[in-house]
Amino acid sequence: MLALFAARPTRTLCRTFASHATPRRENIGVLKAYGKPVATIFLWSALTYMSFQAVWNTLYFDEIKLETEAKIDDLQAELKRLEH
């Protein structure tokens, strides 16, 4: 059975045509032309988003901390008032 396969002429199943090769070359040119600027914009926008998110989280947690401290002070004042 192995000899049967060896006797056949080998043909490639995948044929390349000129119409299929042209878009690939154009896509590579587009990627070379616009790839770096798009990647730069993406990276800067991701960095900006993460920076704003960090600032927002800091401000939010500071606000929560102040509110919690205010509640603690109110409860301590009420406890002192009830003890006397």
Side-chain angles (χ1 to χ4, degrees):
M1 188 175 252
L2 193 55
L4 222 175
F5 289 115
R8 289 186 190 175
T10 57
R11 293 184 185 174
T12 58
L13 296 176
C14 182
R15 295 180 182 164
T16 57
F17 296 101
S19 63
H20 292 302
T22 305
R24 278 195 148 176
R25 289 186 188 142
E26 289 176 4
N27 287 340
I28 291 172
V30 169
L31 184 62
K32 283 184 180 179
Y34 297 110
K36 190 172 181 179
V38 169
T40 303
I41 289 172
F42 175 77
L43 290 175
W44 278 108
S45 62
L47 179 66
T48 303
Y49 173 78
M50 289 171 34
S51 299
F52 283 141
Q53 191 70 27
V55 169
W56 185 85
N57 283 336
T58 302
L59 293 174
Y60 179 74
F61 287 124
D62 286 345
E63 180 183 358
I64 295 296
K65 184 178 177 182
L66 290 175
E67 288 176 0
T68 306
E69 288 175 354
K71 284 182 185 178
I72 290 171
D73 291 339
D74 290 342
L75 290 173
Q76 286 177 345
E78 185 178 347
L79 185 62
K80 284 182 183 178
R81 184 182 56 85
L82 291 175
E83 286 178 349
H84 292 279

